[in-house]
């Protein structure tokens, strides 16, 4: 069974640009969450989607947004990139929103220059 | 509040047991997790424990939960060099949101 797939694996963008990251959950999983990992702040929750609805949102500015499609695939978008947005962005999927067995993807490493 | 604390570094000899500790503040936590992260990789779920349990064993891994003290530990028996990684403790409620600790770097010396 395929795991959680995140694309692209690596990305370099310039300040002010926008970026879209993609996450394909494990087949049958309906909940997708996004996390930002940086050396300074550690792992921080961005948002969670279930059946195309955002169920929970972390403390990030409005430049960070996401969505989930009917096939459970999810995208997150960051507009007007800042240097501080450089991070590893991790996606996790689960069967439901009940918290057991969240499976993480390998992440997208975003570098903003 | 939401706070999960871990010590930052642990060094052990191959074959010894490793014990990684974690404390959390939210008494309404429902599940507590241990994840492993190797360099350049995502997070691998090692094990989880429901908050009404006090112990869970899975092969070389033993999780102990002291709910009164809000203390969680992960014991790895017969630690191998392949266990070298960063270990994250995380807690959640029924919200789809995981709160992670800062991670403990486990160094296993041959």
């Amino acid at each position: 069974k395929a795991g959680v797939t995140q694309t692209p694996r690596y990305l370099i963008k310039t300040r002010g640009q926008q970026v879209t990251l993609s996450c394909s959950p494990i087949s049958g999983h309906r909940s997708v969450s996004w996390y930002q990992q940086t050396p300074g702040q550690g792992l921080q929750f961005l948002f969670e989607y279930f059946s195309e609805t955002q169920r929970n949102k972390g403390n990030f500015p409005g430049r960070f947004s996401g969505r989930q499609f009917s096939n459970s695939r999810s995208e997150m978008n960051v507009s007007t990139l800042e240097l501080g947005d450089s991070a590893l962005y991790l996606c996790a999927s689960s069967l439901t929103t009940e918290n057991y067995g969240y499976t993480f993807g390998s992440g997208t490493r975003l570098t903003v220059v | 509040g939401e706070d999960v604390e871990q010590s930052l570094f642990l060094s052990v000899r191959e074959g010894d047991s490793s014990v990684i500790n974690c404390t959390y503040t939210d008494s309404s936590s429902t599940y507590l997790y241990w994840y492993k992260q190797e360099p350049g990789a995502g997070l691998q779920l090692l094990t989880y424990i429901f908050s009404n349990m006090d112990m869970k064993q899975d092969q070389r891994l033993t999780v102990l939960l002291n709910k009164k003290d809000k203390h969680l530990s992960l014991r790895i028996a017969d630690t191998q060099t392949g266990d070298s990684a960063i270990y994250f403790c995380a807690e959640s409620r029924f919200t789809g949101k995981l709160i992670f600790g800062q991670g403990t770097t486990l160094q296993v010396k041959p």
Side-chain angles (χ1 to χ4, degrees):
Chain A
K1 172 165 155 175
V4 177
T5 303
Q6 291 189 246
T7 56
R9 284 297 310 274
Y10 301 93
L11 207 47
I12 300 176
K13 289 286 188 178
T14 305
R15 266 184 305 177
Q17 286 187 313
Q18 72 152 19
V19 68
T20 299
L21 312 182
S22 179
C23 173
S24 293
I26 290 173
S27 178
H29 283 194
R30 294 167 64 193
S31 173
V32 173
S33 303
W34 289 88
Y35 292 81
Q36 181 196 65
Q37 186 177 24
T38 59
Q41 299 298 315
L43 281 153
Q44 293 190 288
F45 172 79
L46 281 155
F47 24 66
E48 188 234 356
Y49 288 88
F50 181 78
S51 294
E52 301 179 67
T53 301
Q54 187 179 87
R55 296 289 293 261
N56 208 344
K57 190 176 190 305
N59 295 325
F60 279 82
R63 299 185 298 107
F64 291 81
S65 63
R67 59 178 175 167
Q68 187 180 33
F69 302 95
S70 57
N71 62 358
S72 294
R73 191 178 71 85
S74 177
E75 288 181 347
M76 68 163 278
N77 184 277
V78 188
S79 62
T80 321
L81 283 165
E82 300 176 1
L83 295 178
D85 297 332
S86 295
L88 179 65
Y89 289 89
L90 292 163
C91 164
S93 77
S94 179
L95 271 171
T96 69
T97 55
E98 292 174 2
N99 301 133
Y100 42 85
Y102 270 96
T103 303
F104 280 79
S106 299
T108 294
R109 171 75 62 186
L110 171 65
T111 302
V112 182
V113 297
Chain B
E2 301 176 342
D3 209 4
V4 178
E5 299 282 341
Q6 297 177 241
S7 52
L8 295 182
F9 186 78
L10 176 66
S11 180
V12 300
R13 291 255 172 233
E14 193 174 18
D16 287 350
S17 290
S18 307
V19 180
I20 302 171
N21 294 300
C22 169
T23 57
Y24 60 99
T25 56
D26 196 328
S27 57
S28 64
S29 297
T30 51
Y31 287 95
L32 295 127
Y33 304 82
W34 285 103
Y35 281 90
K36 176 184 179 182
Q37 187 175 39
E38 297 183 77
L43 298 173
Q44 175 194 350
L45 176 64
L46 290 176
T47 186
Y48 63 90
I49 188 167
F50 190 50
S51 57
N52 69 354
M53 298 168 64
D54 51 22
M55 181 178 130
K56 182 177 180 181
Q57 187 150 5
D58 184 1
Q59 299 183 328
R60 292 190 298 124
L61 305 178
T62 303
V63 178
L64 294 177
L65 174 60
N66 181 327
K67 197 171 180 181
K68 175 176 166 288
D69 294 338
K70 299 190 184 69
H71 182 266
L72 181 74
S73 67
L74 173 70
R75 178 177 180 269
I76 305 172
D78 188 25
T79 312
Q80 303 297 307
T81 53
D83 294 324
S84 294
I86 302 176
Y87 290 80
F88 291 93
C89 161
E91 61 100 1
S92 70
R93 285 148 276 160
F94 287 115
T95 61
K97 172 182 177 181
L98 296 175
I99 310 297
F100 286 91
Q102 316 94 299
T104 299
T105 298
L106 175 63
Q107 179 190 68
V108 183
K109 295 180 181 176

